[in-house]
Amino acid sequence: SLIFTPPWAVSLTGQLAAVRALESASYYRECYARTDALRASLADEMRNIDSRITMVGTGNFLMCHLPDDLPTAATVEARCRTKGLFIRVISRMVPRLGPRVIRLAVKDAATQRRMVDILTGALALAV
């Protein structure tokens, strides 16, 4: 029999920490507010790269839909990887969304600044 473990599996320790964190409503509200602000900031930065990039997200990530004249998600991913930034190509998980969607994790402000700098370069290179 084949056992499949998704690449985003969370360890038991991680699950226990998450459950414990959720027991504190004030902690959870603070984390949610911080993530919400960081996600909004990342979305603004992505719009600054190219205002035609559309984004969806309510969790700790953004799905970014790239216009047809920008590189494909796979090309952007490969370019980012050479700079140490690892992003997800959504078509590998949800093929029906097509080859122009990337997923970016919400991180702290300094990390997001670095992410945006790398993405700016990856998207600016000729298709």
Side-chain angles (χ1 to χ4, degrees):
S1 73
L2 181 65
I3 297 174
F4 175 74
T5 301
W8 57 87
V10 177
S11 68
L12 178 59
T13 304
Q15 291 175 42
L16 292 173
V19 168
R20 186 79 166 148
L22 292 173
E23 290 175 356
S24 171
S26 62
Y27 175 79
Y28 182 70
R29 278 192 298 278
E30 179 185 314
C31 289
Y32 181 82
R34 184 173 44 251
T35 299
D36 191 49
L38 286 166
R39 184 182 51 253
S41 174
L42 182 58
D44 287 344
E45 292 289 342
M46 291 303 293
R47 282 186 204 94
N48 287 337
I49 293 174
D50 190 317
S51 63
R52 299 168 304 148
I53 296 173
T54 58
M55 285 150 284
V56 178
T58 57
N60 64 342
F61 64 90
L62 280 177
M63 283 193 348
C64 303
H65 299 258
L66 307 173
D68 289 342
D69 62 331
L70 290 180
T72 65
T75 299
V76 173
E77 177 202 34
R79 290 173 180 177
C80 287
R81 185 177 296 156
T82 67
K83 303 291 184 185
L85 174 61
F86 296 88
I87 63 175
R88 289 189 187 234
V89 175
I90 294 299
S91 64
R92 293 184 187 136
M93 294 183 286
V94 186
R96 66 184 160 81
L97 291 180
R100 310 201 69 73
V101 184
I102 59 175
R103 178 178 154 173
L104 306 175
V106 173
K107 300 291 185 180
D108 62 89
T111 301
Q112 286 188 179
R113 180 71 249 154
R114 182 174 171 269
M115 290 168 54
V116 168
D117 289 344
I118 293 169
L119 283 159
T120 298
L123 290 165
L125 296 171
V127 181

Short mmCIF file of all heavy atoms in Angstrom, two decimals, residues 6 14 17 23 25 29 31 42-43 45-46 55 68 70 78 83-85 88-89 96 107 109:
data_model
loop_
_atom_site.label_atom_id
_atom_site.label_comp_id
_atom_site.label_asym_id
_atom_site.label_seq_id
_atom_site.Cartn_x
_atom_site.Cartn_y
_atom_site.Cartn_z
N PRO A 6 1.62 14.73 2.68
CA PRO A 6 1.74 16.00 1.97
C PRO A 6 2.97 16.77 2.42
O PRO A 6 3.41 16.62 3.57
CB PRO A 6 0.47 16.75 2.33
CG PRO A 6 -0.28 15.92 3.30
CD PRO A 6 0.44 14.65 3.51
N GLY A 14 4.42 20.46 16.58
CA GLY A 14 3.83 21.67 16.00
C GLY A 14 2.33 21.73 16.21
O GLY A 14 1.77 22.79 16.51
N ALA A 17 1.67 22.61 19.85
CA ALA A 17 1.94 24.03 20.09
C ALA A 17 0.81 24.89 19.55
O ALA A 17 0.39 25.87 20.19
CB ALA A 17 3.27 24.43 19.45
N GLU A 23 -5.56 28.13 22.81
CA GLU A 23 -6.21 28.20 24.11
C GLU A 23 -6.18 29.61 24.70
O GLU A 23 -6.97 29.94 25.57
CB GLU A 23 -5.56 27.21 25.09
CG GLU A 23 -5.85 25.76 24.73
CD GLU A 23 -5.10 24.78 25.62
OE1 GLU A 23 -4.28 25.21 26.47
OE2 GLU A 23 -5.31 23.57 25.45
N ALA A 25 -6.96 33.17 23.84
CA ALA A 25 -7.65 34.02 22.87
C ALA A 25 -6.89 35.31 22.60
O ALA A 25 -6.81 35.77 21.45
CB ALA A 25 -9.07 34.32 23.34
N ARG A 29 -5.52 36.47 18.96
CA ARG A 29 -5.92 37.74 18.35
C ARG A 29 -4.71 38.57 17.95
O ARG A 29 -4.66 39.16 16.88
CB ARG A 29 -6.82 38.53 19.28
CG ARG A 29 -8.27 38.10 19.27
CD ARG A 29 -9.19 39.09 19.99
NE ARG A 29 -8.88 39.24 21.40
CZ ARG A 29 -9.28 38.42 22.36
NH1 ARG A 29 -10.05 37.38 22.05
NH2 ARG A 29 -8.96 38.63 23.61
N CYS A 31 -1.63 37.47 17.29
CA CYS A 31 -0.97 36.82 16.14
C CYS A 31 -1.74 37.05 14.85
O CYS A 31 -1.15 37.32 13.80
CB CYS A 31 -0.80 35.32 16.40
SG CYS A 31 0.41 34.94 17.65
N LEU A 42 2.63 42.88 2.42
CA LEU A 42 3.18 42.09 1.31
C LEU A 42 2.35 42.31 0.05
O LEU A 42 2.91 42.46 -1.04
CB LEU A 42 3.22 40.60 1.70
CG LEU A 42 3.80 39.65 0.67
CD1 LEU A 42 5.22 40.02 0.28
CD2 LEU A 42 3.74 38.21 1.21
N ALA A 43 1.05 42.34 0.17
CA ALA A 43 0.19 42.59 -0.99
C ALA A 43 0.48 43.96 -1.59
O ALA A 43 0.57 44.11 -2.82
CB ALA A 43 -1.29 42.48 -0.60
N GLU A 45 3.28 45.61 -1.44
CA GLU A 45 4.60 45.53 -2.09
C GLU A 45 4.49 44.81 -3.45
O GLU A 45 5.14 45.21 -4.41
CB GLU A 45 5.60 44.82 -1.18
CG GLU A 45 5.97 45.59 0.05
CD GLU A 45 6.84 46.81 -0.25
OE1 GLU A 45 7.44 46.90 -1.33
OE2 GLU A 45 6.91 47.69 0.62
N MET A 46 3.69 43.75 -3.50
CA MET A 46 3.52 43.04 -4.78
C MET A 46 2.83 43.94 -5.80
O MET A 46 3.17 43.93 -6.98
CB MET A 46 2.75 41.74 -4.57
CG MET A 46 3.50 40.68 -3.78
SD MET A 46 5.10 40.23 -4.51
CE MET A 46 4.55 39.44 -6.03
N MET A 55 -4.13 39.31 -6.04
CA MET A 55 -3.80 38.48 -4.90
C MET A 55 -5.04 38.04 -4.14
O MET A 55 -6.02 38.76 -4.09
CB MET A 55 -2.89 39.25 -3.96
CG MET A 55 -1.47 39.33 -4.49
SD MET A 55 -0.63 40.82 -3.97
CE MET A 55 -1.33 42.06 -5.00
N ASP A 68 -0.16 37.72 -18.07
CA ASP A 68 0.38 36.89 -19.15
C ASP A 68 1.74 37.34 -19.67
O ASP A 68 2.50 36.53 -20.19
CB ASP A 68 -0.60 36.83 -20.33
CG ASP A 68 -1.83 36.00 -20.01
OD1 ASP A 68 -1.78 35.21 -19.04
OD2 ASP A 68 -2.84 36.15 -20.71
N LEU A 70 4.20 38.52 -17.89
CA LEU A 70 5.26 38.26 -16.92
C LEU A 70 5.66 36.79 -17.02
O LEU A 70 4.92 35.98 -17.59
CB LEU A 70 4.77 38.58 -15.50
CG LEU A 70 4.56 40.05 -15.17
CD1 LEU A 70 4.08 40.21 -13.73
CD2 LEU A 70 5.83 40.87 -15.39
N ALA A 78 12.01 29.23 -10.16
CA ALA A 78 13.41 28.85 -10.44
C ALA A 78 14.35 30.03 -10.23
O ALA A 78 15.43 29.87 -9.64
CB ALA A 78 13.52 28.32 -11.86
N LYS A 83 18.34 32.58 -5.58
CA LYS A 83 18.63 33.64 -4.60
C LYS A 83 18.26 33.20 -3.17
O LYS A 83 18.28 34.01 -2.25
CB LYS A 83 17.86 34.91 -4.95
CG LYS A 83 18.14 35.45 -6.33
CD LYS A 83 19.55 35.98 -6.41
CE LYS A 83 19.76 36.61 -7.79
NZ LYS A 83 21.12 37.03 -7.98
N GLY A 84 17.86 31.94 -3.01
CA GLY A 84 17.54 31.43 -1.69
C GLY A 84 16.11 31.68 -1.23
O GLY A 84 15.81 31.53 -0.04
N LEU A 85 15.24 32.06 -2.15
CA LEU A 85 13.83 32.27 -1.83
C LEU A 85 13.02 31.12 -2.42
O LEU A 85 13.08 30.88 -3.62
CB LEU A 85 13.32 33.60 -2.38
CG LEU A 85 11.82 33.87 -2.21
CD1 LEU A 85 11.43 33.90 -0.74
CD2 LEU A 85 11.45 35.18 -2.90
N ARG A 88 5.96 28.71 -3.77
CA ARG A 88 5.20 27.57 -4.31
C ARG A 88 4.58 27.92 -5.66
O ARG A 88 4.06 29.01 -5.84
CB ARG A 88 4.08 27.16 -3.36
CG ARG A 88 4.60 26.51 -2.12
CD ARG A 88 3.46 25.93 -1.34
NE ARG A 88 3.96 25.44 -0.08
CZ ARG A 88 3.78 24.23 0.37
NH1 ARG A 88 3.06 23.38 -0.30
NH2 ARG A 88 4.26 23.86 1.54
N VAL A 89 4.64 26.95 -6.55
CA VAL A 89 3.92 27.03 -7.82
C VAL A 89 2.59 26.32 -7.58
O VAL A 89 2.55 25.12 -7.35
CB VAL A 89 4.71 26.35 -8.95
CG1 VAL A 89 3.91 26.33 -10.23
CG2 VAL A 89 6.05 27.05 -9.15
N ARG A 96 -5.83 23.17 -12.08
CA ARG A 96 -6.84 23.95 -12.79
C ARG A 96 -6.62 25.46 -12.67
O ARG A 96 -7.19 26.24 -13.43
CB ARG A 96 -8.25 23.58 -12.34
CG ARG A 96 -8.56 23.92 -10.91
CD ARG A 96 -9.97 23.42 -10.52
NE ARG A 96 -10.13 23.31 -9.11
CZ ARG A 96 -10.40 24.33 -8.29
NH1 ARG A 96 -10.57 25.53 -8.79
NH2 ARG A 96 -10.52 24.14 -7.00
N LYS A 107 5.75 36.54 6.17
CA LYS A 107 6.89 36.46 7.10
C LYS A 107 7.02 37.77 7.86
O LYS A 107 6.22 38.68 7.69
CB LYS A 107 8.18 36.16 6.31
CG LYS A 107 8.16 34.86 5.53
CD LYS A 107 8.17 33.69 6.47
CE LYS A 107 8.28 32.36 5.73
NZ LYS A 107 8.30 31.23 6.62
N ALA A 109 8.66 41.48 8.75
CA ALA A 109 8.85 42.61 7.83
C ALA A 109 10.20 42.57 7.11
O ALA A 109 10.27 42.81 5.90
CB ALA A 109 8.68 43.93 8.58
#
